Amino acid sequence: MAQPGTTMPAMTKQMQDCIEACMNCHSICEETMSSCMQQGGQAQMQIMRALMDCSETTRMCADMMMRRSPMSGEMCAMCAKACDVAAEACMSMPDDKQLMRCADACRKCAEMCRAMAGARM
């Protein structure tokens, strides 16, 4: 952790990749929510809740990593959990291509966030 008045440590490649995965996951969750709203239905509402949590969590996680928040590790752990829940929700409709694309992005983000949760920021 940098002391006040000193420069922040350089962002690692792992951190940059995780931020990119979070932002990609956020975007795909937002697109998928739009798709779900057009389709309607009760099953879609359960998926929507998981996607909303994942979308907001990934955005916040990326923001916290970019500013080198001391809570980034804990946020990455929470983000991984939200991504896992969203991926599982998306998998409930395996014939929907958008949901499968979203599940893939969520799984990738969860994996990267789990790795960052154990890394020094």
Side-chain angles (χ1 to χ4, degrees):
M1 184 83 190
Q3 295 298 317
T6 63
T7 60
M8 281 188 193
M11 191 175 290
T12 65
K13 171 85 167 98
Q14 182 183 22
M15 193 181 293
Q16 289 171 348
D17 290 347
C18 189
I19 289 167
E20 186 177 312
C22 283
M23 294 310 293
N24 182 56
C25 188
H26 169 74
S27 294
I28 292 174
C29 283
E30 291 289 323
E31 290 171 22
T32 305
M33 282 189 282
S34 179
S35 175
C36 287
M37 283 190 279
Q38 291 173 350
Q39 294 176 30
Q42 189 59 37
Q44 297 289 3
M45 291 307 296
Q46 291 176 335
I47 295 168
M48 288 284 291
R49 282 187 200 94
L51 292 176
M52 283 185 230
D53 288 349
C54 186
S55 175
E56 290 301 313
T57 306
T58 53
R59 184 191 49 77
M60 183 183 290
C61 188
D63 289 348
M64 289 176 79
M65 281 188 286
M66 284 187 271
R67 69 175 172 260
R68 316 295 200 294
S69 169
M71 295 182 288
S72 292
E74 290 135 295
M75 189 65 214
C76 284
M78 172 74 80
C79 189
K81 185 174 182 179
C83 288
D84 286 338
V85 169
E88 192 66 33
C90 288
M91 294 302 293
S92 70
M93 300 187 75
D95 295 334
D96 188 305
K97 285 184 169 74
Q98 179 65 33
L99 286 170
M100 293 303 97
R101 184 172 159 245
C102 188
D104 288 342
C106 290
R107 280 194 295 269
K108 179 179 180 184
C109 187
E111 182 182 317
M112 297 189 96
C113 282
R114 259 190 292 285
M116 285 306 299
R120 288 192 56 133
M121 298 282 172

